[in-house]
Amino acid sequence: MKAVQYRTVGAAPEVVTVPDPEPGPGQVMLKVTAAGVCHSDIAVMSRPAEQIPFPLPLTLGHEGVGTVAALGDGVSGLSVGDSVAVYGPWGCGTCVKCAEGKENYCLRAKELGIAPPGLGSPGAMAEYMIVDDPRHLVPLGGLDPVQAVPLTDAGLTPYHAIKRSLPKLVPGATAVVIGTGGLGHVAIQLLRAMTAVRVIALDVAEDKLALARAVGAHETVLSDRDAAAKVRELTGGVGAQVVLDFVGAPPTVATAGAAAAIDSDVTIVGLGGGALPVGFGSLPYNTTVTSPYWGSRSELAEVLDLARAGSVEVHVETYTLDEAPLAYERLHHGRINVRAVILPNG
Ligand code: NAD
Ligand code: ZN
Ligand code: ZN
């Protein structure tokens, strides 16, 4: 079958032919309908060899949906042809975090060599993929697979970040979204669907800010060195109760800290390498700073429910499997509108 692989450190991903997979005992094989292209892949592919957390070559794609093509021995509860989304942050299934459904915070994944598809295990950018356990599949329940595939990461990750801050997202509060791309444009919609806060969106280009307004941002601000001051102005000097940074670069985390209110949450989701010092005098009193990872299994089910209710709609642009390297190149240059989705089986 054809697959998109990261093969050589520093080189672009390549379309190659690999052996067809077969599901082992307890595993499920999917015929992949759609695979999302995430900026995290670019972050990982930009690293030097010693910082790449998995052996190469690797089939990419950590956002995947497909139909069940074959069941390994002992698998029940699924039928061939079922349309499912893949829950990506695979854990061990038995530690206390996994028992809570928070496999994204599995305590033993690293020690056991368990890695998400597309970030260590063979991913969704191939005609077929193997899912290690049926618990990592969530029924699509009538959702359009192409529209739904980014929800498994670009939806789930902001949902997880927002949900933990819900106590601060009361009516009258302000949430700032920095970076309104794949994750950020879903975050704006989630904030509007889950809360009654005012949403201020920051990005570097006017077309991105126009999209942010179209998906529900009340105010938009150009992300430059004056951005935090503008957020303060828009909030009567108070700042934002929650700041979600989907860039995470040194200048944006600085903006995030400077835009935060007293007793606020600053949540750094982007992998841009920035860090925000915490200590008396560096941030407003009782500001928490966190860097969450992906989301839980139950949260993925909740995100899909929100999409079924019509509360979130991902803006997607589709590519064939052969065009996947082009999609990565375009994402790298900020030229995707807004989430690229690869269709491995046409
Ligand atoms: P994307 O490329 O689709 O969107 C990034 C957006 O940020 C773009 O709209 C871009 O114009 C904007 N941007 C760039 N520089 C900016 C700046 N200085 N100020 C404001 N906006 C700026 O990327 P994506 O796929 O949505 O991913 C966003 C980030 O989240 C990436 O760093 C990715 O690696 C990370 N990520 C983290 C997790 C996690 O679990 N923590 C999960 C998925 C993605
Ligand atoms: Zn991702
Ligand atoms: Zn675990």
Side-chain angles (χ1 to χ4, degrees), residues 88-90 103-105 116 119 157 160 268 271 291-296:
W90 297 349
E103 296 203 31
N104 50 322
Y105 298 133
L119 292 166
T157 302
H160 176 61
I268 302 169
L271 308 185
S291 41
Y293 172 62
W294 222 329
S296 71

Side-chain angles (χ1 to χ4, degrees), residues 38-41 62-63 119 153-154 157 183 294 339:
C38 179
H39 214 121
S40 294
D41 292 337
H62 57 268
E63 290 180 346
L119 292 166
D153 176 21
T157 302
L183 273 68
W294 222 329
R339 196 73 165 171

Side-chain angles (χ1 to χ4, degrees), residues 109-204:
K110 198 169 175 190
E111 160 201 344
L112 296 172
I114 299 168
L119 292 166
S121 301
M125 276 184 211
E127 291 171 60
Y128 293 90
M129 74 179 287
I130 298 295
V131 176
D132 67 339
D133 192 291
R135 76 172 187 279
H136 294 144
L137 296 171
V138 180
L140 271 187
L143 286 174
D144 174 69
V146 177
Q147 296 285 325
V149 69
L151 296 172
T152 60
D153 176 21
L156 175 56
T157 302
Y159 184 83
H160 176 61
I162 291 165
K163 197 173 171 188
R164 68 177 291 283
S165 290
L166 281 178
K168 292 183 180 172
L169 293 166
V170 294
T174 296
V176 166
V177 172
I178 305 178
T180 64
L183 273 68
H185 93 292
V186 181
I188 294 166
Q189 297 178 60
L190 291 170
L191 284 163
R192 295 301 311 274
M194 296 162 70
T195 78
V197 297
R198 184 151 70 131
V199 179
I200 304 178
L202 273 59
D203 208 301
V204 288

Side-chain angles (χ1 to χ4, degrees), residues 178-255:
I178 305 178
T180 64
L183 273 68
H185 93 292
V186 181
I188 294 166
Q189 297 178 60
L190 291 170
L191 284 163
R192 295 301 311 274
M194 296 162 70
T195 78
V197 297
R198 184 151 70 131
V199 179
I200 304 178
L202 273 59
D203 208 301
V204 288
E206 185 45 47
D207 60 325
K208 312 254 181 193
L209 296 180
L211 171 87
R213 288 190 291 273
V215 297
H218 297 93
E219 311 275 355
T220 53
V221 171
L222 209 55
S223 182
D224 57 19
R225 56 175 60 205
D226 299 329
K230 287 192 184 128
V231 170
R232 289 214 166 266
E233 218 176 281
L234 289 166
T235 53
V238 171
Q241 282 69 29
V242 174
V243 183
L244 302 160
D245 183 353
F246 295 102
V247 182
T252 60
V253 299
T255 296

